[in-house]
C-alpha cells in the first residue's frame, strides 16, 4: 500500500463510446491511450477493477425500440461488453499489466466466470480485473453493474469516466452556460434526473455509501490526480451539504 494515495482499491467504469471515434466502434490508439492512463495509477500500487459498457457496438434500449425483444437486446449488449473488455485486456497487457477478464455469463474459452472471492484475490495480487457482461441480467445497465461490483469488491470509490469533466445541470456540449457541480448528494443527483448515471445505480451507491466521482478520462493525468486525492470532476456522496 502507498501511504500518500487516497484510494487503494477502485472500480473504474468506462463507457463503450469512450473506445471509438464519434462514439462508435473501437479505435486502437484511443484504447492504448486509456490503457496508459490506467497504467499510471496501477504502477502506484492501486488495485483496479473495471467495468466497460458496450454502447459503441450495441445499445439494448435503442435496439428494443426497433421491435427486438428487450431481454434479447440486452443479452446482445452484454456480448458487446465482452468484446470491449477483451480489446482492453490486450492493450493493457501489452503495456505490462497483468489482467483477468471475468464475465457474468460463463464463456470459459475467453474469460473466467465472475467469482467474487477470486476477483478479490486477483486484486490483492496486483492484477487488473475487467468485469464484463454487465450483471448478467437484462434490464440493468452497465452503470448498475459497476455499482454492484464496486460494493461486492469493497472498492473505496466508483470512478465513472465520461466525455466531460464532471456533472453539469445541462449538456455542456449543447449549452455553453451549463453549470458544473463540484459536489452533489445522492438525493440531489436523483431528484435532478441527471443522465450521467441511471437511478438504479445511484440508488445502489446511496444505499451502500459508495462514493462516485464523475470525470473525463481523456484529460491526461485526471485519474492519477483523483487517486492522490486532488479535486477533479464531480463527487457524489452522502457527506455533501446542499445549499438551503
Amino acid at each position: 500500500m502507498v501511504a500518500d494515495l487516497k484510494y487503494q482499491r477502485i472500480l473504474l467504469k468506462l463507457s463503450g463510446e469512450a473506445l471509438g471515434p464519434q462514439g462508435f466502434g473501437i479505435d486502437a490508439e484511443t484504447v492504448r491511450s486509456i490503457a496508459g492512463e490506467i497504467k499510471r495509477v496501477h504502477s502506484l500500487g492501486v488495485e483496479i477493477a473495471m467495468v466497460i459498457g458496450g454502447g459503441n457496438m450495441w445499445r439494448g434500449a435503442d435496439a428494443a425500440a426497433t421491435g427486438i425483444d428487450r431481454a434479447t437486446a440486452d443479452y446482445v449488449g452484454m456480448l458487446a461488453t465482452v468484446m470491449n473488455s477483451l480489446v482492453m485486456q490486450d492493450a493493457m497487457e501489452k503495456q505490462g499489466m497483468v489482467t483477468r477478464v471475468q464475465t457474468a455469463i460463463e464463456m470459459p474459452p475467453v474469460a473466467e466466470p465472475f467469482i467474487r472471492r477470486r476477483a478479490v484475490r486477483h486484486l490483492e495480487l496486483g492484477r487488473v480485473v475487467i468485469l464484463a457482461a454487465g450483471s448478467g441480467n437484462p434490464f440493468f445497465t452497465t452503470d448498475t453493474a459497476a455499482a454492484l461490483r464496486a460494493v461486492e469488491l469493497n472498492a473505496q470509490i466508483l470512478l465513472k469516466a465520461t466525455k466531460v469533466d464532471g456533472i453539469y445541470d445541462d449538456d455542456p456540449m449543447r449549452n455553453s452556460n451549463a453549470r458544473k457541480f463540484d459536489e452533489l448528494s445522492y438525493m440531489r443527483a436523483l431528484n435532478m434526473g441527471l443522465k450521467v448515471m441511471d437511478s438504479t445505480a445511484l440508488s445502489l451507491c446511496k444505499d451502500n455509501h459508495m462514493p462516485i466521482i464523475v470525470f473525463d478520462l481523456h484529460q491526461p493525468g485526471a485519474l492519477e490526480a483523483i487517486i492522490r486525492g486532488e479535486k477533479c470532476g464531480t463527487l457524489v456522496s452522502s457527506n455533501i451539504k446542499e445549499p438551503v
Side-chain angles (χ1 to χ4, degrees):
M1 295 292 185
V2 182
D4 64 340
L5 300 181
K6 184 170 184 178
Y7 304 109
Q8 303 286 352
R9 179 180 293 176
I10 66 171
L11 190 295
L12 175 63
K13 167 60 169 61
L14 294 177
S15 67
E17 290 91 335
L19 307 184
Q22 288 79 51
F24 183 79
I26 296 174
D27 178 68
E29 185 55 41
T30 299
V31 173
R32 281 193 290 270
S33 175
I34 293 172
E37 289 296 314
I38 295 169
K39 183 177 181 180
R40 290 176 65 169
V41 299
H42 182 258
S43 65
L44 298 174
V46 178
E47 298 176 2
I48 305 169
M50 295 176 63
V51 170
I52 306 176
N56 57 319
M57 298 184 185
W58 183 271
R59 299 189 71 86
D62 293 345
T66 68
I68 299 174
D69 180 80
R70 175 60 190 269
T72 299
D74 282 354
Y75 281 120
V76 175
M78 293 177 210
L79 299 181
T81 72
V82 175
M83 290 189 281
N84 284 339
S85 296
L86 294 175
V87 169
M88 182 58 69
Q89 177 183 43
D90 179 75
M92 294 172 74
E93 295 208 330
K94 284 177 177 173
Q95 295 195 31
M97 290 171 277
V98 179
T99 71
R100 292 292 187 273
V101 174
Q102 292 194 342
T103 59
I105 301 173
E106 291 193 27
M107 44 187 78
V110 297
E112 299 177 359
F114 173 70
I115 299 173
R116 186 184 67 84
R117 290 174 65 89
R118 180 181 290 178
V120 169
R121 185 56 178 158
H122 285 323
L123 293 173
E124 292 171 345
L125 292 173
R127 299 164 183 161
V128 179
V129 181
I130 307 173
L131 303 157
S135 66
N137 300 293
F139 305 101
F140 291 93
T141 67
T142 50
D143 279 349
T144 298
L148 174 64
R149 299 300 186 225
V151 173
E152 286 184 292
L153 299 178
N154 297 316
Q156 292 171 290
I157 194 157
L158 168 56
L159 302 179
K160 169 91 186 267
T162 67
K163 298 176 182 177
V164 292
D165 60 346
I167 298 176
Y168 289 76
D169 60 0
D170 197 3
D171 186 347
M173 302 291 189
R174 299 178 182 178
N175 180 2
S176 60
N177 294 318
R179 182 167 64 98
K180 179 187 171 186
F181 297 99
D182 292 327
E183 298 178 334
L184 277 176
S185 68
Y186 298 112
M187 285 307 303
R188 190 174 184 193
L190 285 164
N191 291 336
M192 290 177 66
L194 299 172
K195 294 182 179 179
V196 69
M197 183 172 281
D198 69 85
S199 59
T200 305
L202 278 169
S203 295
L204 185 57
C205 288
K206 173 181 174 294
D207 292 345
N208 291 278
H209 308 289
M210 175 61 62
I212 306 162
I213 291 180
V214 178
F215 74 108
D216 180 5
L217 184 62
H218 295 296
Q219 179 182 336
L223 181 59
E224 182 179 352
I226 291 170
I227 296 302
R228 292 189 181 280
E230 299 174 22
K231 287 207 169 191
C232 188
T234 300
L235 171 67
V236 182
S237 81
S238 56
N239 298 321
I240 307 303
K241 291 183 178 180
E242 299 292 0
V244 179

